[in-house]
Amino acid sequence: IILGDMTLVGTRPESTHYVKKYTPEMYATLLLPAGVTSEASIKYKDEDEILDKAVKAGKDTDVAYVEDVLPGKMKYNLEYLKQFSVLHDLKICIDTVIGVLR
């Protein structure tokens, strides 16, 4: 954050493996510096539970991530880009603290 490579709030980049599976619209999330927190990271902080359920149902972990997690995260990330504001970032910071304390 201090060096300017990251921001406090911003989209969280995926590994290259999953970026290759992005739709054209999803690439917009790569335009901003990565953030320490985001609405998607708050909403999907327990994504391992979603993946565990999918694996128990016989789905491959990568397939489950691409089909069950990634689209939801990208929905939040793309909305963040459209609603970018200091007040929205402040709300996300507060929501992050609340999410961590729960």
Side-chain angles (χ1 to χ4, degrees), residues 45-56:
K45 71 177 186 164
D46 298 321
E47 74 182 49
D48 57 319
E49 293 175 12
I50 297 169
L51 296 173
D52 284 345
K53 287 180 186 175
V55 169
K56 288 178 183 172

Side-chain angles (χ1 to χ4, degrees), residues 11-82:
T11 60
R12 300 291 307 259
E14 297 288 337
S15 72
T16 306
H17 174 76
Y18 294 115
V19 171
K20 291 177 182 177
K21 299 183 185 301
Y22 278 13
T23 64
E25 183 182 40
M26 290 176 182
Y27 282 104
T29 64
L30 300 175
L31 296 175
L32 295 176
V36 173
T37 189
S38 69
E39 197 164 2
S41 62
I42 297 165
K43 302 290 185 185
Y44 283 86
K45 71 177 186 164
D46 298 321
E47 74 182 49
D48 57 319
E49 293 175 12
I50 297 169
L51 296 173
D52 284 345
K53 287 180 186 175
V55 169
K56 288 178 183 172
K59 202 180 243 187
D60 176 75
T61 305
D62 278 346
V63 172
Y65 188 81
V66 170
E67 292 178 357
D68 303 333
V69 175
L70 188 61
K73 282 183 161 183
M74 286 297 134
K75 182 186 112 198
Y76 286 111
N77 289 338
L78 291 167
E79 279 301 311
Y80 173 75
L81 292 174
K82 294 175 188 173

